Amino acid sequence: ALAFDARSLADEASKQQSEIAQAALRSVLRDTSRANLVGELPWIGWAELALAPLPARIPAADALTALRATTWKFQISEQDAGADYADMTGGILFTRARQPLPTWQTLRPLAFFATALGDPRLTDDEHLRAQAMALRACLRFVLQLMVTQDNAWLLRDPPRALGAVRRALWDQSCPLEASSLALIAISETLRSMDLRASKPSP
């Protein structure tokens, strides 16, 4: 849906592409079970926003905010982690995953939630602080996944690996998707913070 929408935006006369994008997006939102919908992030969220630029109403706004609220329920808190699993704090558990511990998959919803923070149609002033704090905790977990001077010795080429994002705290492989989504999530967080700071709430 996002790819079709990008093509329609590139060619303003391409009404057919826009209709295809709408149909694809509605199909995903309609036919994907709620338990699996988070796995379609960030793409469905970004497609929805691309098809409804400000100040238009977002058709799936309620579904996306409900999905975000549900996802945060699976975020590991300091109390959940305890001293033994403190590095997991802020990560998101995907209960259907083979390994029931947070991994780089946390970045999928995080990337969209970072975008949603800057959109008042998805994050109003009343909920801004709570959403920002949940996002902050999630970014803290992403920092734990990043290759730093402290753990770079575990990789074959430490200087080249610095800043990459590992698959999991116990897995030193660094898939390109993880590093890419981390960069997008951090960039979107900064962009959203700038947007909200430029229009401060009362």
Side-chain angles (χ1 to χ4, degrees), residues 87-88 102-104 142-158 160-176 178-179:
D87 288 350
M88 304 281 182
T103 67
W104 77 275
V142 175
L143 289 176
Q144 293 293 122
L145 291 177
M146 294 182 80
V147 177
T148 66
Q149 294 285 359
D150 293 334
N151 55 30
W153 63 272
L154 291 165
L155 287 96
R156 186 187 320 175
D157 189 349
R160 186 179 180 193
L162 287 174
V165 175
R166 296 175 289 163
R167 193 178 299 275
L169 293 175
W170 59 90
D171 186 338
Q172 306 310 315
S173 60
C174 300
L176 181 60
S179 294

Side-chain angles (χ1 to χ4, degrees), residues 15 17 19 21 24 41 49 55 100 103 127 132 136 146 168 192 195 201:
K15 182 180 178 182
Q17 290 290 345
E19 291 174 350
L41 291 174
L49 293 182
T103 67
H127 298 99
R136 179 176 181 267
M146 294 182 80
S192 289
L195 284 172
S201 59

Side-chain angles (χ1 to χ4, degrees), residues 7-8 27 42 57 69 74 97 115 117 133 138 154 160 179 187:
R7 288 182 63 182
S8 68
S27 175
R57 184 183 69 85
F74 292 91
T115 303
L117 186 73
M133 294 302 289
C138 214
L154 291 165
R160 186 179 180 193
S179 294
S187 297

Side-chain angles (χ1 to χ4, degrees), residues 109-118 135 184-186 188-189 191-193:
L110 173 64
F112 175 68
F113 295 167
T115 303
L117 186 73
L135 194 69
I184 292 172
I186 293 169
E188 284 296 287
T189 299
R191 189 184 67 83
S192 289
M193 297 290 277

Side-chain angles (χ1 to χ4, degrees), residues 33-177:
S33 67
R34 179 168 294 186
N36 293 328
L37 197 56
V38 69
E40 303 297 335
L41 291 174
W43 318 114
I44 57 165
W46 287 339
E48 186 76 354
L49 293 182
L51 289 167
L54 280 166
R57 184 183 69 85
I58 301 173
D62 290 344
L64 290 173
T65 53
L67 178 60
R68 180 174 59 181
T70 300
T71 303
W72 286 141
K73 291 179 181 179
F74 292 91
Q75 185 178 43
I76 297 179
S77 67
E78 291 183 12
Q79 293 74 25
D80 295 330
D84 292 338
Y85 294 94
D87 288 350
M88 304 281 182
T89 302
I92 295 171
L93 286 176
F94 290 88
T95 54
R96 296 190 176 200
R98 188 182 309 170
Q99 176 67 54
L101 289 172
T103 67
W104 77 275
Q105 298 289 344
T106 289
L107 286 157
R108 293 186 183 278
L110 173 64
F112 175 68
F113 295 167
T115 303
L117 186 73
D119 195 318
R121 298 171 297 175
L122 295 174
T123 308
D124 58 26
D125 291 342
E126 180 183 354
H127 298 99
L128 180 59
R129 178 176 173 79
Q131 291 300 324
M133 294 302 289
L135 194 69
R136 179 176 181 267
C138 214
L139 287 168
R140 178 216 171 276
F141 175 69
V142 175
L143 289 176
Q144 293 293 122
L145 291 177
M146 294 182 80
V147 177
T148 66
Q149 294 285 359
D150 293 334
N151 55 30
W153 63 272
L154 291 165
L155 287 96
R156 186 187 320 175
D157 189 349
R160 186 179 180 193
L162 287 174
V165 175
R166 296 175 289 163
R167 193 178 299 275
L169 293 175
W170 59 90
D171 186 338
Q172 306 310 315
S173 60
C174 300
L176 181 60
E177 294 89 341

